[in-house]
Amino acid sequence: MRIPKHEAVVLLHGLGLHAYFMAKVARRLNENGYDVYNIDYPSRYHNIETVTAFIHDQIQNKQIGVYRHVHLIGHSLGGILARNLLYRYWCRNQGKVIALAPPNKGSLLVDRLRVYSPLRWYLGPAFLELGSNSHFLNNLQYIPNDYHVIAGNSSKWTLFGRLFSDENDGVVSVESTLAEGMERTHHSVYPVTHFSILYDEDVFNCILKILK
């Protein structure tokens, strides 16, 4: 019988990004004793269901079954993928699930920008599934056990922050990061933008607090 190892963390980057953008989070988690699997996936070329299956195959190849707990941390689209991944594929050693700035209720920015065909072409099918009236998001009712959201409310110097009428991080409003049915006590807000959330020390300390 294999003796279970300690704990691992699976990282999922956001739409149009790469695993490189999660590198600082990965390094800090390594320094704190976690084995880290920073998954790169083709976010721009497929819909969410197809990308979810791709990520599942990647994780299966890592043999994560040897760990006592496997935590998931997803940024933006990555947070949506984490929910869908656990809904589609049961994980017996699932630990905490942390979503950084996830558009759980969709993003107003997607609503405004989807009319521009160059953006639709560049960001791909998953982009169109992240709007506020998204059929996919409206039907994704599953909330994983021990699910946490960290949102940002700093958009003063962002390109698109002025499009929002309420608190936002320049891409997603704070209210939109809340998933229907999640525990409100598992929702934290920090003065960061949609992208600086990946590099903020206070956010990382919050991640560590949740994991521990």
Side-chain angles (χ1 to χ4, degrees):
M1 181 177 71
R2 287 188 296 182
I3 299 175
K5 296 179 70 175
H6 55 290
E7 301 189 353
V9 181
V10 172
L11 299 180
L12 301 174
H13 61 79
L15 177 64
L17 304 181
H18 300 280
Y20 169 80
F21 288 87
M22 305 294 284
K24 183 176 181 180
V25 176
R27 176 173 56 80
R28 295 298 307 278
L29 289 169
N30 270 141
E31 292 170 353
N32 281 271
Y34 295 94
D35 285 353
V36 179
Y37 297 95
N38 192 2
I39 307 297
D40 213 351
Y41 65 91
S43 63
R44 293 173 43 223
Y45 301 105
H46 306 286
N47 62 25
I48 293 176
E49 290 290 7
T50 301
V51 173
T52 300
F54 176 90
I55 292 171
H56 175 256
D57 290 343
Q58 296 299 304
I59 294 175
Q60 288 294 99
N61 293 335
K62 308 298 182 184
Q63 297 184 338
I64 62 172
V66 299
Y67 293 95
R68 288 188 178 90
H69 296 107
V70 177
H71 310 290
L72 282 84
I73 300 176
H75 172 237
S76 194
L77 170 62
I80 302 300
L81 289 166
R83 283 177 65 194
N84 198 46
L85 183 70
L86 292 169
Y87 172 61
R88 296 295 182 188
Y89 308 96
W90 180 70
C91 178
R92 65 174 179 80
N93 54 350
Q94 178 212 312
K96 307 292 178 66
V97 181
I98 304 175
L100 307 176
N104 280 315
K105 296 178 182 175
S107 172
L108 172 67
L109 190 60
V110 175
D111 297 343
R112 297 291 181 86
L113 298 183
R114 66 188 304 152
V115 298
Y116 298 102
S117 55
L119 274 176
R120 292 201 309 271
W121 169 81
Y122 180 77
L123 293 174
F127 169 72
L128 298 176
E129 294 180 301
L130 297 176
S132 59
N133 293 314
S134 164
H135 176 76
F136 176 86
L137 292 178
N138 288 337
N139 284 279
L140 181 61
Q141 303 296 321
Y142 178 73
I143 304 295
N145 293 328
D146 233 335
Y147 178 73
H148 301 256
V149 168
I150 302 176
N153 66 355
S154 180
S155 61
K156 184 177 180 181
W157 305 111
T158 63
L159 182 61
F160 299 111
R162 68 185 65 181
L163 296 177
F164 296 82
S165 59
D166 50 357
E167 281 191 309
N168 67 91
D169 63 10
V171 174
V172 180
S173 72
V174 172
E175 178 62 27
S176 291
T177 63
L178 282 160
E180 294 293 343
M182 72 171 287
E183 295 185 40
R184 289 273 178 160
T185 56
H186 287 185
H187 187 257
S188 305
V189 182
Y190 287 85
V192 293
T193 68
H194 194 72
F195 298 104
S196 68
I197 197 171
L198 297 175
Y199 307 101
D200 186 82
E201 195 64 22
D202 289 334
V203 169
F204 183 76
N205 289 334
C206 181
I207 290 172
L208 275 186
K209 183 179 178 180
I210 293 170
L211 292 180
K212 293 180 177 178

